[in-house]
């Protein structure tokens, strides 16, 4: 099934979308990657969802990515007497290690790491930022904070510390168990929550190895401070705008979205823009105009994918939401100003043969007016480098490895196709590329394609050659250079 757009769509699976029938409808509406949120999924359910998606992919012979999203550490308050208290602005509020029920002046905080790391002047955000306090003093097992924004506060609500680098791993005991399970069923991507430093990604990599790609959810202000190290260590990124908007001034989020998108593109690593993209479609069959503009902005910026969360997981109109997102993307990509905006900020190739070949492929394809770029790839790195250039024509990633094709489902502009086997000669490589592009409707008789690959054949990391070939009415090459 050929998509008529280059940006990819990610949909979260939930009660509204977990049946096999609904999953297939969502795929047909445009989903390229399905997200399994382990905050709300048992291992049994996650295994069932994985099997359903894989079944659809196998039956329709189309790669579909599966993203397993780990919950990460969650910091919550203890209980209040009567389950609720009202906190007054201008007063002091105490967090302590006393497990007695809380009041309007104090509450139990069951997280020793916070007491170890917090310091006077740090901001405390409670209940998704609805209440704000500033630390006045700390003393062992006690934190005293001044209430700047008060209000009602219920038991077990969350607490965030945007100014504090917490001495915690991004992987809790629950995450490690979930991770082991997700790797055992062979998901394509692992979304890592609560990343603060590059070494957090390295810690996860030591466990994951090459069994799945790592997508860092950029949701902590501390991650912005160490963004270069995180980008170097990760395979992809998710701009988790909801959490970012809680932990830092919300007006900074759009600029950070652009910054992360550009840095990810420069590194040749896919980036997903997420959270509240079509939020009103949880209950409405149509989005707001502002939401449409929000999705369009991400597409104009060249994000690899845009994601739906509650809209597809628990919303009343999951298929309509995907269809709407698809229509927005197609409209933006057909806009006369799209290419100029997309390339207003150019990526600079790294000093490697693969990057030089990828940059040249983009320039040659535009100059000769070819129909498609076809790249052979074992690990996906060649296809990623070509897609990084954001060429104006389709990119086909041909691979004999199903796992590679599924991982590439999230990458901008890339159409992954699984081969039965690798070609054994350059001549066979060009012929197979022509036939595959022709059979899938990417090239017509008389049109040409550009083929990239590596010699010796079948050896990863050797992208070092290009061929131009034109096809006849049978899809066979008639001339090449």
């Amino acid at each position: 099934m050929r998509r008529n757009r280059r940006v990819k769509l990610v949909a979260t699976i939930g009660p509204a979308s977990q049946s096999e029938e609904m999953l297939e409808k969502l795929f047909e509406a445009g989903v390229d990657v399905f997200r399994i949120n382990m905050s709300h999924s048992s291992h049994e359910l996650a295994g069932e969802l994985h099997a359903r998606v894989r079944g659809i992919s196998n039956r329709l012979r189309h790669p579909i990515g599966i993203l397993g999203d780990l919950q990460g550490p969650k910091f919550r308050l203890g209980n209040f007497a009567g389950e609720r208290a009202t906190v007054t602005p201008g007063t002091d509020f105490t967090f302590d290690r006393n497990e007695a029920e809380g009041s309007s002046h104090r509450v139990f905080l069951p997280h020793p790491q916070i007491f170890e790391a917090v310091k006077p002047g740090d901001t405390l955000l409670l209940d998704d930022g609805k209440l704000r306090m500033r630390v006045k003093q700390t003393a062992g097992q006690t934190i005293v904070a001044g209430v700047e924004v008060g209000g009602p506060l219920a038991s077990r609500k969350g607490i965030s510390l945007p100014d504090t680098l917490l001495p915690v791993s991004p992987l809790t005991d629950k995450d490690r168990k979930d991770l082991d399970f997700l790797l055992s069923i062979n998901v394509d991507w692992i979304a890592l929550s609560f990343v603060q430093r590059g070494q957090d990604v390295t810690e996860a990599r030591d466990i994951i190895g090459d069994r799945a790609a790592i997508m860092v959810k950029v949701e902590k202000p501390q991650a912005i401070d160490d963004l270069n190290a995180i980008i170097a260590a990760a395979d992809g990124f998710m701009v988790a705008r909801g959490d970012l908007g809680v932990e830092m001034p919300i007006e900074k989020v759009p600029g950070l979205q652009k910054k992360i998108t550009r840095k990810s593109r420069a590194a040749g690593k896919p980036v997903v823009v997420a959270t509240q993209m079509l939020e009103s479609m949880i209950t409405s069959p149509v989005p707001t105009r502002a939401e449409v503009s929000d999705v369009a902005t991400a597409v104009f910026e060249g994000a690899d994918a845009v994601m739906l969360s509650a809209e597809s997981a628990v919303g009343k109109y999951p298929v309509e939401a995907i269809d709407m997102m698809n229509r927005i993307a197609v409209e933006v990509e057909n806009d006369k100003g799209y290419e100029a905006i997309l390339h207003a900020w150019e990526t600079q190739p790294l000093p490697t043969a693969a990057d030089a070949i990828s940059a040249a492929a983009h320039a040659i394809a535009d100059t000769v007016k070819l129909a498609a770029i076809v790249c052979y790839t074992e690990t996906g790195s060649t296809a990623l480098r070509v897609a990084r250039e954001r060429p104006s024509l389709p990119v086909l990633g041909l691979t004999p490895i199903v796992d590679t094709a599924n991982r590439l489902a999230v990458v901008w502009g890339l159409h992954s196709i699984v081969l039965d086997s690798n070609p054994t000669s350059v001549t066979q490589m060009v012929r197979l590329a022509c036939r595959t592009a022709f059979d899938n409707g990417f090239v017509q008789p008389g049109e040409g394609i550009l083929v990239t690959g590596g010699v010796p054949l079948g050896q990863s990391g050797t992208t070092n050659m290009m061929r131009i070939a034109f096809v006849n009415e049978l899809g066979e090459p008639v001339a090449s250079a």
Side-chain angles (χ1 to χ4, degrees), residues 19-301:
S19 71
E20 185 166 357
E21 178 184 10
M22 181 57 74
L23 289 171
E24 186 163 343
K25 285 182 179 179
L26 291 174
F27 168 75
E28 291 174 347
V31 173
D32 301 290
V33 178
F34 284 104
R35 170 179 174 247
I36 300 175
N37 187 355
M38 296 309 295
S39 296
H40 306 294
S41 300
S42 65
H43 290 185
E44 180 181 9
L45 176 58
E48 292 174 357
L49 297 175
H50 178 274
R52 290 168 193 167
V53 173
R54 288 287 186 253
I56 294 168
S57 177
N58 293 335
R59 187 169 65 255
L60 300 179
R61 298 181 59 82
H62 189 101
I64 303 174
I66 299 179
L67 169 68
D69 194 337
L70 301 178
Q71 176 176 286
K74 297 294 182 184
F75 298 105
R76 298 189 181 279
L77 306 176
N79 295 318
F80 288 97
E83 295 300 319
R84 183 176 297 272
T86 298
V87 179
T88 305
T91 63
D92 287 349
F93 191 88
T94 300
F95 302 87
D96 57 38
R97 301 286 289 153
N98 181 353
E99 296 187 27
E101 290 184 325
S103 67
S104 59
H105 299 290
R106 63 152 296 276
V107 73
F108 171 53
L109 186 59
H111 303 290
Q113 307 96 324
I114 293 178
F115 291 91
E116 295 171 16
V118 75
K119 57 187 182 300
D122 285 0
T123 299
L124 305 179
L125 301 173
L126 299 97
D127 192 8
D128 289 334
K130 295 183 180 68
L131 286 78
R132 185 176 70 244
M133 304 181 186
R134 194 168 301 278
V135 176
K136 287 187 171 181
Q137 63 184 54
T138 63
Q141 303 295 298
T142 302
I143 299 170
V144 179
V147 181
E148 296 180 347
V149 178
L153 187 60
S155 298
R156 306 295 301 159
K157 286 297 182 180
I159 178 172
S160 301
L161 297 89
D163 303 329
T164 310
L165 182 64
L166 293 169
V168 296
S169 165
L171 298 172
T172 64
D173 290 342
K174 168 181 163 52
D175 291 327
R176 291 175 184 274
K177 293 175 183 176
D178 290 345
L179 178 57
D180 286 343
F181 177 76
L182 291 171
L183 293 174
S184 74
I185 61 175
N186 196 31
V187 300
D188 306 300
W189 288 85
I190 296 293
L192 198 61
S193 301
F194 206 84
V195 171
Q196 300 181 96
R197 300 151 295 194
Q199 67 190 62
D200 292 337
V201 188
T202 302
E203 178 186 337
R205 179 78 68 191
D206 290 340
I207 300 171
I208 296 170
D210 61 359
R211 291 180 289 173
I214 297 175
M215 181 174 289
V216 168
K217 295 167 67 177
V218 184
E219 55 189 356
K220 301 288 294 178
Q222 293 79 11
I224 303 300
D225 296 335
D226 202 28
L227 190 58
N228 289 337
I230 291 171
I231 286 176
D235 300 306
F237 304 89
M238 181 187 298
V239 187
R241 304 177 306 172
D243 289 306
L244 270 178
V246 168
E247 298 217 7
M248 62 195 319
I250 198 167
E251 65 273 13
K252 293 183 178 294
V253 173
L256 288 173
Q257 176 177 315
K258 292 180 183 294
K259 178 180 180 179
I260 297 164
T261 298
R262 289 180 176 181
K263 282 183 170 288
S264 300
R265 280 182 56 185
K269 298 180 179 183
V271 57
V272 179
V273 176
T275 319
Q276 297 178 330
M277 302 216 76
L278 296 176
E279 184 87 353
S280 65
M281 290 194 76
I282 296 172
T283 57
S284 170
V286 294
T288 67
R289 277 59 172 172
E291 289 167 340
V292 172
S293 294
D294 182 35
V295 175
T297 295
V299 178
F300 273 121
E301 289 173 355

Side-chain angles (χ1 to χ4, degrees), residues 273-352:
V273 176
T275 319
Q276 297 178 330
M277 302 216 76
L278 296 176
E279 184 87 353
S280 65
M281 290 194 76
I282 296 172
T283 57
S284 170
V286 294
T288 67
R289 277 59 172 172
E291 289 167 340
V292 172
S293 294
D294 182 35
V295 175
T297 295
V299 178
F300 273 121
E301 289 173 355
D304 288 82
V306 287
M307 190 180 96
L308 296 180
S309 298
E311 301 96 327
S312 60
V314 298
K316 294 181 179 179
Y317 305 97
V319 176
E320 290 84 352
I322 289 295
D323 178 66
M324 176 58 66
M325 191 168 266
N326 179 74
R327 287 158 52 196
I328 296 167
V330 170
E331 185 68 24
V332 168
E333 292 178 4
N334 286 323
D335 187 278
K336 291 181 179 180
Y338 173 66
E339 293 291 339
I341 296 172
L342 183 67
H343 293 288
W345 180 84
E346 293 289 351
T347 57
Q348 296 300 315
L350 299 176
T352 64

